[in-house]
Amino acid sequence: MSDSAGTAGSSRSARTDLTEDRPVYVVGGGPGGLAVAASLRELGVRAVVLEKSGRVGSSWRGHYDRLHLHTTRRRSALPGLTMPRRFGRWVSRDDMVRYLDKYADHHELEVVTGVEVSRIDRAPDGRDWQLTATGGRVLTGRAVVVATGFNHTPRVPEWPGLDTFDGDLIHASEYRNPAPYAGKDVLVVGIGNTGAEIAVDLVEGGAERVRIAVRTVPHIVRRSTAGWPAQSTAVLVRRLPVRLVDRAARLMGRISVPDLAAYGLPRPDTGLYSRVRDGAIPVQDVGLIDAVKRGLVVPVAAVESFDGDAVVLADGERITPDAVIAATGYRRGLEGLVGHLGVLDARGRPTVHGAHSPKQAPGLHFTGFTNPISGMLRELALDARKIAKRIARRHHTSR
């Protein structure tokens, strides 16, 4: 277990009582957890970040090599520290990791690594929270913020016959770069942002053949049009009526995105914002449109089952790829942690987020479990301030 905390003496340190024995515990040392901890520290509330891996931002360190943010640098910074201009408009994975390291140091955050929280309960006094963690630790805090991440537990569907497949199969979380797939026939399953970008990466990295299995045709948007980022539009429209945004998006889509129906990727028959409300974020184009038009990435039907060396598709076609990369999403993985508290919905997601706590669990907060069209990092930053203010108000009135 290691700690990273700064020296006392800065204005932040002077305002924060680091001897407080009932701190706010933040579970997870990714962007959401760090942002909340920094916002609390700024308000004079001691926050301790518990991170199960050896360093902050562990999920970012494991992303594939070519990853860049689909949100702009300016709108992706966390509270209290801008991102350097040298990172460019679309920040790379490596620069994001550097930023998170710098962020923890800059705000002198108390980060305890190598500690995994397995369960959160009400403390015996009925007022505080009790966390059960690795090494037999039992920790007591005045409030808890769960920030374990949207992409927590890789999900691979239970396809019939999967255990008989003779080829290589990995989840997208294990994919790093196209080098192992040069000269190979690869099937990418799932056409969200991750699947689309991996498919393009494989083409550019020399894969012999790349197909992408599509269950639901996605909305595709340009990351930027004439210098105007899609995120800026998303921020402007996110509070407008869904039907109005759907109509506007349909019109813009026809203007900016070519019809790919002839290549196996027709336009969706449902509205863009309606899909977002159901949890489906549009695919930002980083080369997919061109790759599909050139026949370098070939859309095929959804995967139904496996049979030896064959993958059976929903339309009955049987294909025999050398490798399958399942870009099939993640589970939140919160059931063991808080499932017994009645704070999750039927899909395992928190029933509230941000400044709100469940009625039956005051002082328990969640951040980073939604995937807003306006950009997750932007929303994490906004949530962090709101959560910190709510906790600080409760903290100071209880003294």
Side-chain angles (χ1 to χ4, degrees):
M1 183 173 71
S2 63
D3 292 87
S4 63
T7 59
S10 72
S11 60
R12 277 190 301 271
S13 298
R15 290 201 303 271
T16 303
D17 181 6
L18 299 183
T19 66
E20 167 64 64
D21 62 356
R22 290 167 50 246
V24 175
Y25 282 106
V26 180
V27 184
L34 297 179
V36 170
S39 298
L40 284 167
R41 184 173 172 83
E42 187 65 28
L43 295 176
V45 179
R46 185 186 179 197
V48 177
V49 179
L50 303 175
E51 167 55 43
K52 69 177 182 179
S53 72
R55 305 180 72 180
V56 300
S58 62
S59 63
W60 283 92
R61 299 175 195 276
H63 285 317
Y64 48 92
D65 295 348
R66 72 171 281 155
L67 177 69
H68 284 69
L69 297 182
H70 290 164
T71 53
T72 63
R73 179 190 73 251
R74 185 172 64 86
R75 283 200 167 106
S76 300
L78 302 178
L81 185 65
T82 58
M83 288 186 175
R85 291 179 63 87
R86 67 176 181 276
F87 284 3
R89 193 179 204 187
W90 312 107
V91 179
S92 71
R93 177 204 65 183
D94 290 347
D95 281 337
M96 186 66 192
V97 170
R98 293 185 185 98
Y99 175 74
L100 294 177
D101 281 335
K102 176 66 175 177
Y103 191 83
D105 289 341
H106 174 79
H107 288 289
E108 301 176 351
L109 301 182
E110 287 187 82
V111 180
V112 184
T113 59
V115 175
E116 182 174 8
V117 178
S118 58
R119 185 179 171 98
I120 298 172
D121 292 286
R122 266 297 187 192
D125 64 10
R127 179 185 62 169
D128 293 333
W129 288 94
Q130 183 172 283
L131 293 75
T132 303
T134 49
R137 296 174 177 85
V138 177
L139 308 169
T140 301
R142 64 176 59 250
V144 177
V145 181
V146 180
T148 49
F150 190 84
N151 297 337
H152 185 271
T153 304
R155 184 184 73 85
V156 176
E158 295 179 356
W159 288 300
L162 179 59
D163 57 345
T164 71
F165 183 54
D166 296 334
D168 295 327
L169 186 146
I170 64 168
H171 188 269
S173 59
E174 301 174 74
Y175 178 85
R176 295 296 173 268
N177 58 64
Y181 303 96
K184 293 187 176 182
D185 182 341
V186 187
L187 172 67
V188 178
V189 184
I191 194 169
N193 278 294
T194 297
E197 189 157 0
I198 287 176
V200 173
D201 200 32
L202 289 165
V203 167
E204 295 176 355
E208 180 180 3
R209 186 177 191 178
V210 178
R211 286 173 282 204
I212 188 163
V214 181
R215 183 170 297 279
T216 303
V217 178
H219 285 272
I220 302 174
V221 299
R222 300 287 187 181
R223 187 169 65 175
S224 178
T225 302
W228 178 263
Q231 184 188 13
S232 295
T233 301
V235 170
L236 292 174
V237 306
R238 68 183 302 255
R239 299 193 184 281
L240 294 178
V242 173
R243 291 177 62 184
L244 177 62
V245 179
D246 281 348
R247 289 196 204 101
R250 187 178 299 114
L251 175 61
M252 289 302 301
R254 292 186 180 279
I255 294 172
S256 61
V257 177
D259 186 358
L260 300 174
Y263 306 94
L265 207 58
R267 295 187 189 278
D269 56 7
T270 54
L272 182 150
Y273 205 25
S274 295
R275 286 271 194 91
V276 170
R277 288 298 182 92
D278 289 334
I281 295 298
V283 171
Q284 293 207 16
D285 179 48
V286 290
L288 179 68
I289 292 173
D290 183 63
V292 169
K293 288 178 65 176
R294 294 170 60 194
L296 300 176
V297 173
V298 178
V300 297
V303 172
E304 284 293 300
S305 62
F306 288 75
D307 183 13
D309 64 347
V311 180
V312 183
L313 304 179
D315 60 2
E317 184 181 3
R318 295 169 65 92
I319 61 176
T320 55
D322 299 313
V324 176
I325 299 173
T328 46
Y330 296 79
R331 296 185 178 91
R332 309 293 84 83
L334 293 170
E335 289 79 4
L337 192 67
V338 296
H340 56 286
L341 298 173
V343 297
L344 304 178
D345 65 16
R347 297 167 63 181
R349 303 172 304 181
T351 55
V352 299
H353 72 279
H356 301 288
S357 290
K359 289 183 179 179
Q360 70 275 33
L364 178 64
H365 296 268
F366 297 89
T367 185
F369 295 99
T370 60
N371 197 10
I373 191 173
S374 51
M376 181 175 287
L377 289 169
R378 176 182 181 271
E379 297 304 317
L380 286 176
L382 294 174
D383 270 358
R385 298 250 189 231
K386 295 173 184 176
I387 292 170
K389 288 178 181 178
R390 177 65 60 88
I391 292 175
R393 187 159 55 243
R394 187 185 304 120
H395 170 76
H396 293 308
T397 57
S398 66
R399 282 183 162 181

